[in-house]
Amino acid sequence: MTTLPPEYLITAPRRRFTRAQVAGIALLGLIAAFALFGPWLVGLDPAVQQLDRFLEVPSLAHPLGFDQLGRSMLARLAHGARLSLALALVSVLSAALPGAVLGLLAAWRGGWPERALSALADAVLALPGLLLVLLLVALSPGGFWPLYVGISLALWVEYFRVTRAAARILLASGHVEAARLLGFGPLHIVRRHLLPDLLPPLLTLMRFGFAGAVLAMAALGFVGVGLQPPTPELGVMMIELLPYYGEAPWLLGAPVLVLFLTLLGLLLLSPEREAA
């Protein structure tokens, strides 16, 4: 296996998790479990309104109370966490897979394919990611697809550039040359000599990309250009509940806390924290 120069090693594989990483995994596991099973365990429709329960305070039966339209806050939070995390995960995977494949293709083939793909990546990079998402959202306001496509298009360039730069060095190494001379095919070379060194930095990028996607969706929902009410999404819930933060601060605090804990869990996973 070939080892990349230090400048390309965003992360280094470790045999053991640090305590911070264990805490991050536990935190993200709890949030994922809440997003997956919360809607089923709560068993309430997040859109059903009971106006006589306007801003009802938390109780044992309803731990987060009811919002300004008499909707169960716990049900809306569980559905909102599921929607936000699922959309972020799908967006990151949709960006990482084609970005890595195109980066590998550019490094492997070189020549005009590499120049064409690099020019395409530079063109996308010249357009700010948030502006690209806003342009797509303007075509279909409040839809899922513009957010998904916009975030994926904004993220794939990072995976392309990192994969291309790292793969060019790996492909020029003696290990890969020897494998080629011995008659091993591209699949063997990719699996045995490229992926072991490419995966750590790509996984780090995916972690940052997931955090960025969650924040982008919350920010777009908060400024009213993302998903629209009554869809339970963390950013949408914040802007809906902001006028009532004085009367019922726990309602606004609930989606903020879920977003904060999600980002904290992703931050704790970073192995660079231990080195720092």
Side-chain angles (χ1 to χ4, degrees):
M1 184 179 69
T2 305
T3 302
L4 282 174
E7 60 267 28
Y8 290 99
L9 291 178
I10 299 176
T11 63
R14 297 176 184 280
R15 294 182 178 179
R16 291 184 177 180
F17 292 116
T18 64
R19 283 180 294 183
Q21 288 175 320
V22 172
I25 292 172
L27 191 55
L28 292 176
L30 288 175
I31 295 172
F34 176 67
L36 283 175
F37 305 112
W40 175 68
L41 292 174
V42 175
L44 295 176
D45 189 334
V48 170
Q49 301 180 13
Q50 304 176 64
L51 297 179
D52 59 325
R53 311 189 83 165
F54 170 81
L55 296 184
E56 185 174 294
V57 299
S59 62
L60 287 178
H62 303 284
L64 293 179
F66 289 80
D67 67 4
Q68 78 282 5
L69 294 177
R71 298 171 296 192
S72 169
M73 190 59 195
L74 186 58
R76 290 186 63 76
L77 191 65
H79 282 82
R82 172 187 286 183
L83 175 61
S84 297
L85 299 184
L87 194 53
L89 180 62
V90 172
S91 298
V92 169
L93 291 177
S94 299
L97 184 59
V101 171
L102 291 177
L104 190 57
L105 176 66
W108 194 290
R109 297 298 301 271
W112 71 264
E114 183 179 16
R115 291 194 295 273
L117 289 171
S118 298
L120 176 62
D122 291 341
V124 174
L125 199 61
L127 191 64
L130 185 58
L131 181 58
L132 179 61
V133 176
L134 288 175
L135 289 175
L136 291 173
V137 169
L139 299 176
S140 178
F144 290 91
W145 286 103
L147 277 178
Y148 160 66
V149 174
I151 293 175
S152 299
L153 285 177
L155 290 178
W156 77 272
V157 177
E158 299 176 9
Y159 301 96
F160 168 79
R161 292 166 68 90
V162 169
T163 303
R164 180 176 66 102
R168 288 182 66 179
I169 298 173
L170 294 171
L171 288 171
S173 66
H175 296 81
V176 174
E177 288 296 328
R180 284 173 169 166
L181 291 175
L182 290 172
F184 290 108
L187 185 60
H188 173 87
I189 293 175
V190 170
R191 182 170 57 86
R192 295 295 301 273
H193 298 285
L194 300 186
L195 282 184
D197 280 325
L198 291 176
L199 277 180
L202 289 178
L203 289 176
T204 300
L205 280 180
M206 291 178 69
R207 192 172 67 250
F208 287 124
F210 185 85
V214 172
L215 274 179
M217 282 186 290
L220 290 171
F222 189 76
V223 298
V225 295
L227 299 176
Q228 298 298 312
T231 303
E233 189 270 334
L234 297 180
V236 174
M237 293 169 65
M238 290 180 205
I239 192 171
E240 280 190 307
L241 296 167
L242 187 59
Y244 307 96
Y245 74 92
E247 296 92 336
W250 64 89
L251 293 178
L252 180 60
V256 172
L257 182 62
V258 170
L259 183 61
F260 169 74
L261 292 179
T262 302
L263 298 178
L264 178 62
L266 291 168
L267 177 64
L268 290 175
L269 288 181
S270 174
E272 289 82 4
R273 296 182 72 258
E274 184 186 25

